[in-house]
Amino acid sequence: EVQLVESGGGSVQPGGSLRLSCTVSGFPSSTYYLAWFRQAPGKEREGVAVMYVGGDYRNYADSAKGRFTVSQDNTKNTLYLQMNSLKPDDTAMYYCATDVRPGLGPWDDPGRYMSWGQGTQVTVSS
């Protein structure tokens, strides 16, 4: 069974930074897609970034480009989302997701992912 555990959320002022972590266990392969999503109250879940663990592929939502960076620590099976220059619009619950359904589709479609973490809250306010 695939399990994902997020951590690192918190409250920060505009312009600040946070690093979210996602620890993955139980995945049958050492290479897989791992995506970060977020959901603000009253809004749909939206993709933030995706990476191919074990490879070089990275992609980001327009709202994240230039500010957010995904990375991995293979020794700890942990993936990171480094978020800089945070804005109040970044306030949301952040989730990591993996275990992509077979077939084609956009990386930021939450319906493509079968395994999700419990989420970690990020609040950006002054």
Side-chain angles (χ1 to χ4, degrees), residues 87-110:
K87 308 173 183 179
D89 284 350
D90 295 318
T91 296
M93 185 73 78
Y94 283 71
Y95 302 89
C96 57
T98 190
D99 204 3
V100 178
R101 300 180 190 277
L104 299 177
W107 68 267
D108 57 350
D109 176 4

Short mmCIF file of all heavy atoms in Angstrom, two decimals, residues 87-110:
data_model
loop_
_atom_site.label_atom_id
_atom_site.label_comp_id
_atom_site.label_asym_id
_atom_site.label_seq_id
_atom_site.Cartn_x
_atom_site.Cartn_y
_atom_site.Cartn_z
N LYS A 87 2.69 34.39 -1.41
CA LYS A 87 1.64 35.41 -1.50
C LYS A 87 0.41 34.93 -0.75
O LYS A 87 0.22 33.73 -0.57
CB LYS A 87 1.28 35.65 -2.96
CG LYS A 87 2.44 35.95 -3.88
CD LYS A 87 1.97 35.98 -5.33
CE LYS A 87 3.11 36.21 -6.29
NZ LYS A 87 2.66 36.23 -7.70
N PRO A 88 -0.47 35.84 -0.36
CA PRO A 88 -1.71 35.41 0.29
C PRO A 88 -2.51 34.43 -0.57
O PRO A 88 -3.17 33.53 -0.02
CB PRO A 88 -2.46 36.73 0.49
CG PRO A 88 -1.38 37.74 0.64
CD PRO A 88 -0.30 37.30 -0.31
N ASP A 89 -2.43 34.56 -1.90
CA ASP A 89 -3.16 33.63 -2.78
C ASP A 89 -2.61 32.20 -2.71
O ASP A 89 -3.24 31.28 -3.22
CB ASP A 89 -3.08 34.11 -4.23
CG ASP A 89 -4.01 35.27 -4.50
OD1 ASP A 89 -4.85 35.58 -3.63
OD2 ASP A 89 -3.90 35.89 -5.57
N ASP A 90 -1.45 32.03 -2.12
CA ASP A 90 -0.89 30.68 -1.96
C ASP A 90 -1.49 29.96 -0.76
O ASP A 90 -1.20 28.77 -0.54
CB ASP A 90 0.63 30.76 -1.79
CG ASP A 90 1.32 31.29 -3.03
OD1 ASP A 90 0.93 30.90 -4.14
OD2 ASP A 90 2.25 32.10 -2.87
N THR A 91 -2.29 30.64 0.01
CA THR A 91 -2.92 30.02 1.18
C THR A 91 -3.84 28.89 0.75
O THR A 91 -4.74 29.08 -0.07
CB THR A 91 -3.72 31.07 1.98
OG1 THR A 91 -2.81 32.05 2.50
CG2 THR A 91 -4.47 30.41 3.12
N ALA A 92 -3.58 27.70 1.26
CA ALA A 92 -4.35 26.51 0.87
C ALA A 92 -3.86 25.31 1.67
O ALA A 92 -2.83 25.37 2.34
CB ALA A 92 -4.20 26.22 -0.62
N MET A 93 -4.61 24.23 1.55
CA MET A 93 -4.12 22.93 2.00
C MET A 93 -3.32 22.34 0.85
O MET A 93 -3.81 22.31 -0.29
CB MET A 93 -5.29 22.03 2.37
CG MET A 93 -4.85 20.69 2.96
SD MET A 93 -4.22 20.86 4.64
CE MET A 93 -5.76 21.02 5.54
N TYR A 94 -2.13 21.88 1.15
CA TYR A 94 -1.24 21.33 0.12
C TYR A 94 -1.15 19.81 0.28
O TYR A 94 -0.99 19.30 1.39
CB TYR A 94 0.14 21.95 0.22
CG TYR A 94 0.21 23.34 -0.36
CD1 TYR A 94 -0.41 24.41 0.29
CD2 TYR A 94 0.84 23.59 -1.57
CE1 TYR A 94 -0.37 25.69 -0.24
CE2 TYR A 94 0.89 24.86 -2.11
CZ TYR A 94 0.28 25.91 -1.44
OH TYR A 94 0.32 27.17 -1.99
N TYR A 95 -1.26 19.12 -0.85
CA TYR A 95 -1.24 17.66 -0.88
C TYR A 95 -0.16 17.17 -1.85
O TYR A 95 0.05 17.80 -2.90
CB TYR A 95 -2.57 17.11 -1.36
CG TYR A 95 -3.77 17.52 -0.55
CD1 TYR A 95 -4.47 18.68 -0.84
CD2 TYR A 95 -4.24 16.73 0.50
CE1 TYR A 95 -5.58 19.07 -0.11
CE2 TYR A 95 -5.35 17.09 1.23
CZ TYR A 95 -6.01 18.26 0.92
OH TYR A 95 -7.12 18.63 1.65
N CYS A 96 0.44 16.04 -1.54
CA CYS A 96 1.23 15.35 -2.54
C CYS A 96 0.45 14.12 -2.98
O CYS A 96 -0.36 13.57 -2.23
CB CYS A 96 2.62 14.98 -2.02
SG CYS A 96 2.66 13.97 -0.52
N ALA A 97 0.69 13.73 -4.22
CA ALA A 97 -0.08 12.64 -4.81
C ALA A 97 0.79 11.86 -5.76
O ALA A 97 1.71 12.40 -6.40
CB ALA A 97 -1.30 13.19 -5.54
N THR A 98 0.49 10.57 -5.89
CA THR A 98 1.22 9.72 -6.81
C THR A 98 0.34 8.57 -7.26
O THR A 98 -0.87 8.58 -7.04
CB THR A 98 2.52 9.22 -6.15
OG1 THR A 98 3.32 8.58 -7.16
CG2 THR A 98 2.23 8.23 -5.03
N ASP A 99 0.95 7.58 -7.90
CA ASP A 99 0.20 6.41 -8.37
C ASP A 99 -0.77 6.84 -9.45
O ASP A 99 -2.00 6.84 -9.26
CB ASP A 99 -0.52 5.74 -7.20
CG ASP A 99 -0.80 4.26 -7.50
OD1 ASP A 99 -0.39 3.77 -8.57
OD2 ASP A 99 -1.45 3.61 -6.66
N VAL A 100 -0.19 7.21 -10.60
CA VAL A 100 -0.97 7.76 -11.71
C VAL A 100 -1.73 6.65 -12.43
O VAL A 100 -1.20 5.58 -12.72
CB VAL A 100 -0.03 8.48 -12.69
CG1 VAL A 100 -0.82 9.03 -13.88
CG2 VAL A 100 0.71 9.61 -11.97
N ARG A 101 -2.97 6.92 -12.74
CA ARG A 101 -3.78 5.95 -13.51
C ARG A 101 -3.19 5.80 -14.90
O ARG A 101 -2.72 6.79 -15.50
CB ARG A 101 -5.22 6.46 -13.63
CG ARG A 101 -5.92 6.66 -12.32
CD ARG A 101 -7.35 7.16 -12.54
NE ARG A 101 -7.96 7.58 -11.30
CZ ARG A 101 -8.54 6.77 -10.43
NH1 ARG A 101 -8.59 5.47 -10.69
NH2 ARG A 101 -9.07 7.24 -9.32
N PRO A 102 -3.23 4.62 -15.44
CA PRO A 102 -2.74 4.43 -16.81
C PRO A 102 -3.52 5.29 -17.80
O PRO A 102 -4.70 5.56 -17.62
CB PRO A 102 -2.99 2.95 -17.07
CG PRO A 102 -3.08 2.32 -15.71
CD PRO A 102 -3.69 3.38 -14.83
N GLY A 103 -2.83 5.71 -18.84
CA GLY A 103 -3.48 6.51 -19.87
C GLY A 103 -2.93 7.92 -19.93
O GLY A 103 -2.14 8.33 -19.09
N LEU A 104 -3.36 8.63 -20.94
CA LEU A 104 -2.87 9.98 -21.15
C LEU A 104 -3.76 11.00 -20.44
O LEU A 104 -4.92 10.73 -20.14
CB LEU A 104 -2.84 10.29 -22.65
CG LEU A 104 -1.95 9.38 -23.51
CD1 LEU A 104 -2.07 9.75 -24.96
CD2 LEU A 104 -0.50 9.47 -23.04
N GLY A 105 -3.18 12.14 -20.20
CA GLY A 105 -3.94 13.21 -19.58
C GLY A 105 -3.02 14.25 -19.00
O GLY A 105 -1.82 13.99 -18.86
N PRO A 106 -3.52 15.41 -18.66
CA PRO A 106 -2.67 16.46 -18.09
C PRO A 106 -2.19 16.09 -16.70
O PRO A 106 -2.91 15.46 -15.92
CB PRO A 106 -3.60 17.68 -18.07
CG PRO A 106 -4.97 17.10 -18.02
CD PRO A 106 -4.92 15.82 -18.79
N TRP A 107 -0.97 16.52 -16.38
CA TRP A 107 -0.40 16.16 -15.10
C TRP A 107 -1.16 16.79 -13.94
O TRP A 107 -1.12 16.28 -12.82
CB TRP A 107 1.07 16.60 -15.03
CG TRP A 107 1.28 18.09 -14.98
CD1 TRP A 107 1.50 18.93 -16.03
CD2 TRP A 107 1.26 18.93 -13.81
NE1 TRP A 107 1.63 20.22 -15.60
CE2 TRP A 107 1.49 20.26 -14.25
CE3 TRP A 107 1.07 18.70 -12.46
CZ2 TRP A 107 1.55 21.34 -13.36
CZ3 TRP A 107 1.12 19.78 -11.57
CH2 TRP A 107 1.36 21.08 -12.03
N ASP A 108 -1.85 17.89 -14.22
CA ASP A 108 -2.51 18.61 -13.14
C ASP A 108 -3.98 18.22 -12.98
O ASP A 108 -4.76 18.97 -12.35
CB ASP A 108 -2.36 20.12 -13.32
CG ASP A 108 -2.90 20.60 -14.65
OD1 ASP A 108 -3.23 19.76 -15.51
OD2 ASP A 108 -2.99 21.83 -14.82
N ASP A 109 -4.37 17.10 -13.53
CA ASP A 109 -5.72 16.58 -13.31
C ASP A 109 -5.70 15.71 -12.06
O ASP A 109 -5.12 14.62 -12.05
CB ASP A 109 -6.16 15.75 -14.52
CG ASP A 109 -7.51 15.09 -14.32
OD1 ASP A 109 -8.15 15.34 -13.27
OD2 ASP A 109 -7.94 14.34 -15.21
N PRO A 110 -6.30 16.16 -10.96
CA PRO A 110 -6.23 15.37 -9.71
C PRO A 110 -6.84 13.98 -9.85
O PRO A 110 -6.48 13.07 -9.10
CB PRO A 110 -6.99 16.23 -8.70
CG PRO A 110 -7.78 17.20 -9.50
CD PRO A 110 -7.06 17.41 -10.78
#
